[in-house]
Amino acid sequence: MDFVGQQPNNSEQEIWMEHEATQLEKQHVHSVYESTASYFNDLQSKAWPRVRQFLLEQKPGSLIADIGCGTGKYLAVNSQVYNLGCDYCGPLVEISKKKDCEVLVCDNLNLPFRDQCFNTIISIGVIHHFSTKQRRIKAIKEMARVLMPGGQMMIYVWAMEQKNRRFEKQDVFVPWNRALCSRPFSESNQTGDKNELNAKNQDIHLQQFTGSECAYAVNPKLDFDSKHSHSTDHCLPGTCCMKMSEEENRFYRALGRSFRLWFFSRSLDESALRKQPEKVKQEKNIGRWTNSAISIQPSRHCSLDLGHPGPLLKERSLDDDEVFLESVSLGKAQWMAASNATRDLSGEQDIQSKHEETSSLSGLMEDKDCSCTCKKDEGDKSPASKLFKRTSTTDSTDSILDAAVTVGDQTTGTLDTKAFMRYYHVFREGELCCLVEENVHELQILSSCYDHGNWCIIAEKLGKSLQTEQHKNFKVA
Amino acid sequence: MKLLTHNLLTSHVRGLRPGGGYPLGIQATEVKLSPVDFNAQFVARMVPKVQWAALLQAAQSLGHGSDLPPEPAPGYESDEDFLRRLHHVLLEVEVVEGILRCPDSGHEFPITKGIPNMLLAEEET
């Protein structure tokens, strides 16, 4: 389908958008997790206390699903219940399996479970990876479908509002920071590796924090240091990552604040696309229009969703749950070099012409304030700024926010690079509540709060049990 | 994949009639037995949550059909022999390699290294 020069009708647009959303997630969620899975292990995964608490409160004998379980850090919290984990990413699920968890591979948008079979569901750091509002709704509805009436669901998503600042836009790319990961979790490396692993982690740690406080995902093929070019995505982490921290610092300094080209402030959704039907093209590479919608946010974790990065950052007095590092001032000039790393997001180089027209749109397209009446935890009724004071005591969210850049202009640099940029739709205060209240009526929100850079809700499934019906209907052929 | 998990799984291929994707047929090429600590209360709590007929069928396909009665008998909560057998079938029998087959469509979902892969291609959903 090629929409250039014609107005697409709604259903064509919907199909196209759904396809684009799928492609975006494939490239900037699924393949990133797949490629980086081998770097994850227990050292870096830490369960959020509130989630642990929620799990431990569930009745013994409950059936609990962790939808988007990753490496399974929540699957062994409560041994009195049956924990079933699932994730889209096969390599991550395999890591879970090695820990003897009961896991499977599936799609949150199409859960392979019968209706109303779980007592409890958790979705921690998952929904924010869906690139359209419709998909986020569908994911929540699917989880509600498989939840028993009276059962509870806990959802955690990244908050737009971080400790003292906020993401400038809601749709962001976060680079993956390979240097903060430990060595690959592989069969051949398992024995006798631990000492070496710890030593190298220490080294990485020390190098990491000289010079700059920020560490970011580095594309091994960045042009400004040819020594570190690699032909594969999985570079050897030991030596490579240590050398990379200098590169990473430069990369980061290069992401200039002045390089924010705001095209859209909305996520990939209908209204955004309708504004520019003549610019819309069907492409295999999702870069074209999605660039304009998304900003890049650097991160210090290889996966923020996994929580604390582990021994690498012990010496810093960082709160366990802090997600971001101190800010670094960044200069415009170096952005051009750094933009190489994000080339894979662009696909084409002629985005300049869009800039003038689209930058004027950004002001028009802020999300409407939600007018729903979702409740918050008692004590959280104060404005968001007060909430922030209740969480972490460190000042480290600023870096990512400072360095927020919209991927808009990749005119220079045509290196074939993959910076493992992960797509996130970060949620505004109240947005998750509203999303559920307005679209998922089978769920009733019991509580909501802000926790370590995340918006969290607990909701209960309404309705009557199907149980007696099920016993009648599901006969074995 | 344990049989308790299997009991929750359904095929979600597009166009199935309601219930047409359940229960999935199991064709196992490798099965293992993993000891799990017996907890009578836990197992008893599972009884109302499982689809008994589907469990029976699954157990039969793995050669454990005779371990279970056609229906849980009243008073099962205190029948330790029954609970132990149920415990074994639900939690200790694991399919390591095999296939899960959608009853209506015949679509096959693979089980590899104990992990079922329930993904469908974009056009199948």
Side-chain angles (χ1 to χ4, degrees):
Chain A
M1 287 182 285
D2 185 348
F3 292 137
V4 173
Q6 57 183 322
Q7 288 275 351
N9 63 37
N10 276 353
S11 64
E12 273 181 358
Q13 195 174 44
E14 274 164 18
I15 293 169
W16 178 86
M17 188 168 71
E18 190 63 13
H19 178 74
E20 289 292 294
T22 311
Q23 291 304 308
L24 169 61
E25 290 159 23
K26 197 167 170 179
Q27 187 167 353
H28 292 291
V29 178
H30 305 312
S31 60
V32 175
Y33 280 117
E34 267 177 45
S35 302
T36 57
S38 59
Y39 291 90
F40 294 145
N41 65 26
D42 275 335
L43 291 175
Q44 324 168 256
S45 303
K46 188 186 168 188
W48 296 119
R50 255 183 207 268
V51 180
R52 284 185 55 92
Q53 180 67 25
F54 177 73
L55 291 169
L56 290 169
E57 283 167 3
Q58 300 309 310
K59 193 175 157 194
S62 292
L63 290 175
I64 301 191
D66 181 348
I67 311 288
C69 65
T71 54
K73 66 178 175 288
Y74 293 114
L75 298 176
V77 167
N78 185 341
S79 60
Q80 301 303 302
V81 301
Y82 190 76
N83 296 286
L84 180 58
C86 63
D87 201 287
Y88 196 98
C89 175
L92 287 176
V93 170
E94 285 182 28
I95 292 172
S96 276
K97 191 68 188 170
K98 288 187 164 78
K99 299 188 282 193
D100 269 343
C101 299
E102 189 67 0
V103 283
L104 53 101
V105 174
C106 71
D107 184 346
N108 196 159
L109 298 178
N110 236 303
L111 293 173
F113 303 118
R114 49 180 168 87
D115 293 359
Q116 296 186 12
C117 59
F118 291 106
N119 296 103
T120 310
I121 291 181
I122 62 171
S123 166
I124 311 302
V126 179
I127 304 293
H128 53 211
H129 281 313
F130 288 106
S131 55
T132 69
K133 183 178 171 186
Q134 285 313 309
R135 287 165 78 84
R136 294 188 281 270
I137 292 167
K138 187 173 180 193
I140 297 174
K141 282 181 93 73
E142 263 294 275
M143 294 193 295
R145 175 181 71 77
V146 304
L147 186 56
M148 287 181 203
Q152 291 186 359
M153 179 187 314
M154 172 181 262
I155 303 179
Y156 259 59
V157 293
W158 276 20
M160 189 178 187
E161 304 87 343
Q162 292 296 323
K163 180 152 195 303
N164 294 314
R165 304 262 311 270
R166 16 184 286 164
F167 282 93
E168 294 206 19
K169 293 293 168 186
Q170 288 191 263
D171 295 282
V172 300
F173 283 129
V174 176
W176 176 66
N177 185 353
R178 195 199 319 261
L180 283 178
C181 293
S182 49
R183 294 182 59 171
F185 182 89
S186 67
E187 303 283 321
S188 55
N189 284 345
Q190 266 176 349
T191 51
D193 259 4
K194 284 195 178 157
N195 292 334
E196 206 184 346
L197 175 70
N198 289 335
K200 291 213 163 125
N201 284 346
Q202 290 292 328
D203 288 338
I204 291 169
H205 163 72
L206 290 170
Q207 275 227 335
Q208 207 69 58
F209 296 102
T210 49
S212 163
E213 290 176 298
C214 285
Y216 330 98
V218 159
N219 180 334
K221 292 178 185 175
L222 281 173
D223 206 17
F224 47 78
D225 189 343
S226 58
K227 277 187 209 169
H228 301 298
S229 63
H230 297 267
S231 56
T232 63
D233 296 333
H234 291 84
C235 68
L236 299 171
T239 43
C240 169
C241 286
M242 284 193 283
K243 285 179 189 168
M244 268 197 227
S245 45
E246 224 0 83
E247 277 187 15
E248 287 175 280
N249 294 337
R250 273 182 275 157
F251 171 78
Y252 221 75
R253 282 193 289 274
L255 295 175
R257 181 195 287 269
S258 57
F259 231 88
R260 292 187 196 111
L261 304 173
W262 304 120
F263 286 72
F264 299 107
S265 64
R266 278 187 187 280
S267 58
L268 166 55
D269 65 36
E270 282 190 49
S271 55
L273 293 172
R274 230 175 262 135
K275 298 278 183 188
Q276 287 197 315
E278 70 281 1
K279 301 275 190 208
V280 163
K281 274 186 186 170
Q282 174 79 4
E283 289 185 289
K284 281 184 190 168
N285 185 324
I286 51 94
R288 186 64 187 239
W289 76 268
T290 53
N291 287 338
S292 53
I294 302 170
S295 48
I296 289 185
Q297 312 279 200
S299 107
R300 84 169 181 202
H301 285 225
C302 50
S303 168
L304 295 173
D305 304 326
L306 297 187
H308 187 65
L312 298 172
L313 293 162
K314 259 185 198 148
E315 289 175 33
R316 282 185 62 88
S317 56
L318 287 170
D319 191 275
D320 272 352
D321 310 295
E322 244 341 303
V323 159
F324 308 121
L325 280 178
E326 296 291 339
S327 75
V328 173
S329 68
L330 306 164
K332 174 179 181 176
Q334 288 130 323
W335 163 242
M336 302 305 275
S339 69
N340 294 344
T342 55
R343 175 189 171 267
D344 65 330
L345 304 169
S346 73
E348 302 201 355
Q349 305 301 315
D350 58 346
I351 299 178
Q352 290 279 15
S353 58
K354 284 170 79 173
H355 176 41
E356 270 172 337
E357 174 183 337
T358 53
S359 59
S360 63
L361 290 175
S362 61
L364 303 175
M365 298 179 61
E366 289 301 314
D367 288 329
K368 286 181 284 216
D369 280 342
C370 170
S371 58
C372 71
T373 54
C374 48
K375 279 170 56 179
K376 294 200 162 181
D377 277 347
E378 284 185 337
D380 282 2
K381 287 175 185 158
S382 50
S385 56
K386 285 194 185 172
L387 284 177
F388 300 155
K389 288 176 190 166
R390 292 152 59 98
T391 59
S392 145
T393 55
T394 61
D395 264 355
S396 52
T397 60
D398 291 357
S399 65
I400 291 201
L401 306 165
D402 260 350
V405 183
T406 302
V407 180
D409 189 27
Q410 281 80 47
T411 50
T412 63
T414 52
L415 290 182
D416 186 15
T417 63
K418 283 188 188 174
F420 296 137
M421 306 295 276
R422 280 177 303 161
Y423 168 81
Y424 287 83
H425 170 85
V426 294
F427 281 70
R428 294 171 185 265
E429 180 175 5
E431 183 184 339
L432 182 59
C433 277
C434 284
L435 195 69
V436 172
E437 286 200 0
E438 290 169 11
N439 301 282
V440 191
H441 299 122
E442 55 270 40
L443 288 179
Q444 177 175 56
I445 296 178
L446 299 180
S447 65
S448 74
C449 70
Y450 181 87
D451 183 26
H452 303 110
N454 297 283
W455 289 114
C456 160
I457 62 169
I458 297 176
E460 183 174 297
K461 173 85 178 275
L462 301 172
K464 291 183 185 169
S465 171
L466 273 185
Q467 209 161 9
T468 45
E469 290 302 311
Q470 276 183 333
H471 278 300
K472 288 179 205 160
N473 289 341
F474 286 115
K475 288 182 189 142
V476 175
Chain B
M1 180 197 72
K2 295 180 196 279
L3 291 188
L4 176 49
T5 298
H6 166 265
N7 198 265
L8 307 174
L9 291 177
T10 180
S11 165
H12 50 116
V13 169
R14 182 168 48 185
L16 293 177
R17 66 182 169 92
Y22 184 90
L24 293 161
I26 306 177
Q27 196 177 303
T29 52
E30 187 185 333
V31 177
K32 76 173 182 185
L33 296 177
S34 303
V36 173
D37 288 344
F38 174 67
N39 178 331
Q41 207 178 39
F42 180 94
V43 179
R45 288 197 164 118
M46 290 300 137
V47 174
K49 292 173 189 166
V50 302
Q51 292 292 324
W52 196 261
L55 177 63
L56 267 187
Q57 184 187 41
Q60 274 156 13
S61 68
L62 298 180
H64 290 264
S66 54
D67 291 357
L68 300 175
E71 288 282 345
Y76 66 80
E77 299 92 331
S78 43
D79 181 349
E80 188 176 315
D81 179 63
F82 164 77
L83 291 175
R84 281 192 177 270
R85 291 199 215 178
L86 180 56
H87 164 85
H88 181 69
V89 168
L90 275 181
L91 302 175
E92 294 187 323
V93 177
E94 294 192 20
V95 179
V96 178
E97 301 286 329
I99 279 168
L100 294 171
R101 190 174 286 110
C102 173
D104 271 16
S105 71
H107 186 96
E108 294 182 350
F109 300 94
I111 304 173
T112 314
K113 297 187 240 181
I115 303 169
N117 186 329
M118 306 303 294
L119 293 176
L120 290 168
E122 209 173 321
E123 56 273 9
E124 288 165 314
T125 55

